[in-house]
Amino acid sequence: MNRTYKATGINLKSVPLGEADRLVTILTREHGLLRAVAQGPCKPKSQLGGRVQLFGVNELLLHQGRSLPKITQAHTLKSHSRLSGDLGKLAAGQYLGELVMAMALSEQPQEQLFSLLAEHLHRLEMGLLPVLALLAHGIYHLLAEAGVAPQVHACCLTGEPLIPEWSHPNWRVGFSFTAGGTFSLGALLHQESVPSRIRPVRLSAPQLAGLQYLAAAELPAQLSAGVHSLSEIWPSLERLLRVYAEYHLDTSIRSAALIDSYLPSETFAG
């Protein structure tokens, strides 16, 4: 890499460095995850003023120092300013940012991951659907990009399709964090030996339907219709995906505490 180079990046984290500087963690299209020094961004005459804000998307000119690159120029493409004005949206954006930091590679292009994060930050900012539905959608897509998304359309024991049975209120399907997704509870009865790792959470028909929606590129504009109500399942699915993501990415999502304070407590067991 040349000592001076360009990149387009999304700010994921910014912490003080010394008296006036900031250390910014950035996901870039061209060079993956990097940490860079922004010198004096809060000073009145600084050319970087406002360029290190959380979720800001900037065209950057960087100069490689002895240990860390320094941001010498930054041109803002998008600020995502409306995320910071809403506690729920801000927490959801930080949550996705933490997942990206756990997934992203350094010194390698991360074009798909960059585009995916940018798209889901935009959807959060627009707020056309409930925050937790948008967050769960983003989590699922990031897990898919990492190659560890849970299987939600078929039984992970038999491969048979799983279809929510709306007409039976007590119908349930199993979900295993370690086995990698959903499975038919009836399939356990036909297993000669049940793997000890299969410790199922039980999900209702609306919860399974919600998970299956998350696998699609777009969420439906209407998340509830008659008895097929999906309006109440998003807190439980966020918690389900949280445990799953922490297990498979071997990380702890600290921003999830903000989600917990933003919303009433709810378990994911059906």
Side-chain angles (χ1 to χ4, degrees), residues 23 25 58 71 132 146 153 171 176 191 203 233 237 257 260 265:
L23 180 61
T25 302
N58 299 296
I71 302 172
L132 277 191
H153 287 287
W171 179 87
S176 170
Q191 296 291 308
L203 303 178
I233 51 95
L237 292 189
D260 290 339
S265 178

Side-chain angles (χ1 to χ4, degrees), residues 51-62:
R51 280 18 178 223
V52 298
Q53 293 180 346
L54 196 61
F55 311 128
V57 184
N58 299 296
E59 287 184 343
L60 303 167
L61 184 66
L62 303 111

